[in-house]
Amino acid sequence: MTKPIVFVVLLVLLTGCTAGGDSASPSPTATGSPTAAAGSTASPPTASPPTAAQVTWAGTVCGDITTLKTDVQGLAAAAATGGDSVGTAISKQMDTVSASATDLVDTVKSPPENLGDDPELLAVQDSIDNVDQSLKTLEASASQVQGTTGAALVDALATVVGDTGDALNSVAGTVQTVTTAINDTSSTLGQAFRAAPECADLTS
């Protein structure tokens, strides 16, 4: 009786958290733009224009975030399949999620030259730390699904549902942080994000 309920919740998670992640993007626009505008009227931007390497790096960051979000949603879809092979499906998809997370963390932690002192960079890196922590929790709960049956399987899937939602919320927080950087006209990093097509796709 409880198993169909878990799968319904999983399907809601796939649609609901996707909408939540997208809706998080406009928030910094509403609060961030006036701040940026106020700052720009007080003093003109002093940051140097981004280099080609910085724009490429910013685009890679945004592309990695998009890939990770899609892969985490794929984990929820794998859980929703149910059946005897659900543990294997979740384990395989979790490997994909972990690889995407590693790519994102490695990219964010290795910025190109002359971005180290950018005021927006630390915020982006901190948000990635939150994503990494939520994914480690998700990985632990996903590992509990393998080999379980009956009520234990239902409980394990319910835990995966909650942790997947937390991971998607963390990714949405990173998108919000990127959007805030984009709205900062005095930031070299913000200019790099604005110049990268992948970031326009991420925050639209």
Side-chain angles (χ1 to χ4, degrees):
M1 292 293 293
T2 54
K3 189 175 293 186
I5 296 175
V6 172
F7 294 149
V8 168
V9 173
L10 283 165
L11 292 175
V12 170
L13 179 67
L14 278 173
T15 56
C17 283
T18 302
D22 292 338
S23 63
S25 298
S27 298
T29 304
T31 58
S33 294
T35 303
S40 62
T41 55
S43 60
T46 57
S48 302
T51 64
Q54 290 167 343
V55 172
T56 298
W57 175 84
T60 301
V61 170
C62 291
D64 287 349
I65 293 171
T66 299
T67 298
L68 178 60
K69 177 181 175 181
T70 300
D71 290 343
V72 173
Q73 290 170 338
L75 182 65
T81 60
D84 295 337
S85 62
V86 65
T88 300
I90 288 178
S91 178
K92 182 180 293 187
Q93 185 62 24
M94 191 66 229
D95 288 342
T96 300
V97 170
S98 297
S100 298
T102 298
D103 288 344
L104 175 59
V105 171
D106 288 349
T107 299
V108 171
K109 297 299 184 180
S110 303
E113 291 184 6
N114 302 323
L115 276 183
D117 295 330
D118 193 288
E120 304 291 352
L121 179 60
L122 182 59
V124 174
Q125 291 177 331
D126 284 346
S127 74
I128 294 300
D129 287 340
N130 292 335
V131 170
D132 190 42
Q133 186 58 51
S134 68
L135 289 174
K136 287 178 180 177
T137 301
L138 177 59
E139 183 176 16
S141 62
S143 68
Q144 299 302 310
V145 176
Q146 188 77 25
T148 60
T149 59
L153 176 59
V154 173
D155 291 342
L157 288 174
T159 302
V160 171
V161 168
D163 291 343
T164 300
D166 290 342
L168 288 172
N169 286 335
S170 295
V171 173
T174 296
V175 174
Q176 187 175 28
T177 303
V178 170
T179 305
T180 300
I182 288 174
N183 290 331
D184 186 354
T185 58
S186 66
S187 166
T188 298
L189 179 60
Q191 295 178 62
F193 280 141
R194 284 197 300 277
E198 297 90 343
C199 298
D201 294 337
L202 176 68
T203 59
S204 60

